[in-house]
Amino acid sequence: MDNQTMLDPGLRKALEGLKKHQGQKESAAVAAEMLKGKILAPAVWDKAPAPDGHGQLVFPPDTNISLMVMERQDKKNFFPFFTSKETLEKWSPKAQCLVLTFDQFMPFLKMAGGEVDGVILDPEDLDITLDTSFLQQLEKIRLRGLSANRIVKGDKVTVKDPGEEGKYLGNVLAKTAESMPEVRSIVLKERLMPDNSQHWFIIVDADSEDPVLFSKLSAEGSRLAGGRDMEFMFGSTELGKKIMHDSMPVYTREKA
């Protein structure tokens, strides 16, 4: 499919990857693209939009807008979303639609309550469903902030293996590292803080110890950090070496 005709090539590519292999890495890629991308949502409304002073079409405040719903053979209902006009027209050539971000379509899902079970993406070919609980978890991550910190010498560091929530973050870090040839491996841990809170603790083993690496990893990982601080340490430090020796990395650079 020609990327020029697509609303969100990044999301489409991630969905195609998930279609080929339904693994954690592929699911994390879709989650990341859903949070930052846009979709086409077939909808109906009772008042026509009109151009505002900036040439944008705007609905009157009292417009009633409803997203269209698909019922599957198992009787579950989903909002059908599309990554391009082409995939939308395969489903319904005459459907009118809205261009929505994640933050814009989530209120529709909330208002639907238990009557809608999630969303289905490009149903005419990829036919990938994301259930409501998955999207609600993404929304929690979206609404939380990020603070990237470094360990200060003398700090007490108690770490443990990451729980279920860490799987998505680990996969995003691994995907990001694939485009960073200087990174040899990454270990992800949870750091237990004195106030009983938990931070993400990320050890990076790299050819060159440039703090910019931390910035790149935190920029991509922020979407799935779950509101926790992200603390970074290079693998060359004494503590970094010890933790990496005793841990399974979330990313290891392939040998040339």
Side-chain angles (χ1 to χ4, degrees), residues 145-156:
L146 166 71
S147 176
N149 302 313
R150 296 187 195 177
I151 295 295
V152 177
K153 186 176 181 179
D155 283 352
K156 181 180 179 181

Side-chain angles (χ1 to χ4, degrees), residues 5 11 49 91 98 104-105 130 135 146 148 158 186 191 212 246:
T5 68
L11 177 57
W91 181 73
L98 301 173
Q104 290 171 330
F105 74 68
L130 303 178
L135 295 169
L146 166 71
T158 303
I186 297 175
R191 183 186 177 194
V212 171
D246 298 332

